[in-house]
Amino acid sequence: MKRYRLSKLDVKRAIKKVLLENDNTKELKEKQIKPKCMPENVIPLSEIVGYADEYGDYGRGISKRKSGVNSFVDTLGILNNIRLFKDVKDGGSHLAYDMMNNLNRFRNKNYYDETTGSCHKAMDKVIELYKENEHGTELVKDIERVLNLQTKDDQYTPSPRAKEYLKQCINLAKGQ
């Protein structure tokens, strides 16, 4: 059996080499996860929030804001109280579809935070702004609350199609 002798210098070099490789792999992982702000994948804050005074008529006596987090708040408010809106004949499927498409706009997009000077995922900002809204609590929980609505009269609950769209909204918000 052969014996190899390692000097202290050889041991220090080996340890240093292993430590440097571990640091490099950690840095590579952090760099891969960090979102990059490029002009084609950045959404301005005004689009994320939506315009507060830009209302659209959804039905007779029903108006909701057209885009952004404000639209999510209005849409979930209407779907949560669908029994009060007799003019909604499709069980809210059109509302849920619009919400899904609106949420899909923020998927794989980033938001440049001017205060920190860094890039963040736009969906994280959407969820944060929804929590800060006076009528919203948590986006996923509010969607689940609408999904679990049960009334005596099925005419005033979200339709099965609307529920499928809302399930997709949950997947989008969770980043799946």
Side-chain angles (χ1 to χ4, degrees):
M1 180 190 276
K2 286 188 178 183
R3 286 184 137 185
Y4 293 99
R5 285 202 160 248
L6 294 175
S7 66
K8 288 183 181 180
L9 184 62
D10 291 336
V11 172
K12 285 184 180 179
R13 284 183 188 160
I15 291 172
K16 190 175 183 180
K17 184 178 176 183
V18 169
L19 291 175
L20 283 174
E21 286 176 3
N22 287 341
D23 287 342
N24 287 340
T25 57
K26 287 179 184 176
E27 289 175 10
L28 285 175
K29 287 180 182 177
E30 289 174 3
K31 286 181 182 178
Q32 290 173 355
I33 293 172
K34 185 178 177 184
K36 295 183 179 175
C37 276
M38 298 159 102
E40 58 270 2
N41 74 346
V42 174
I43 293 182
L45 184 62
S46 60
E47 279 188 44
I48 294 174
V49 174
Y51 301 104
D53 57 347
E54 191 176 286
Y55 282 88
D57 289 333
Y58 179 70
R60 194 173 67 217
I62 304 171
S63 60
K64 71 176 203 75
R65 288 171 278 196
K66 292 183 179 180
S67 63
V69 174
N70 292 327
S71 172
F72 301 150
V73 171
D74 293 347
T75 300
L76 287 173
I78 293 169
L79 287 171
N80 201 22
N81 298 307
I82 200 166
R83 67 187 182 283
L84 302 175
F85 300 103
K86 308 272 190 241
D87 291 335
V88 179
K89 302 291 185 201
D90 63 351
S93 60
H94 185 262
L95 285 168
Y97 181 77
D98 283 345
M99 182 173 172
M100 181 186 69
N101 284 332
N102 204 355
L103 256 178
N104 198 29
R105 283 189 18 227
F106 302 116
R107 188 179 60 150
N108 299 328
K109 298 287 184 182
N110 295 320
Y111 159 72
Y112 179 73
D113 190 2
E114 295 173 358
T115 56
T116 61
S118 61
C119 231
H120 303 286
K121 291 183 177 180
M123 192 62 72
D124 294 341
K125 191 66 177 176
V126 166
I127 292 169
E128 176 188 335
L129 289 171
Y130 187 85
K131 281 182 188 176
E132 291 176 3
N133 191 296
E134 62 183 303
H135 299 291
T137 52
E138 283 190 42
L139 183 59
V140 174
K141 286 184 180 179
D142 284 352
I143 295 171
E144 287 173 346
R145 187 178 304 127
V146 171
L147 280 172
N148 296 328
L149 276 178
Q150 298 265 327
T151 61
K152 293 176 185 175
D153 190 4
D154 282 341
Q155 180 182 359
Y156 301 118
T157 59
S159 69
R161 179 176 282 171
K163 289 183 178 186
E164 287 300 316
Y165 291 141
L166 291 172
K167 287 176 187 174
Q168 185 61 29
C169 288
I170 290 174
N171 290 337
L172 289 170
K174 289 182 177 178
Q176 297 175 348

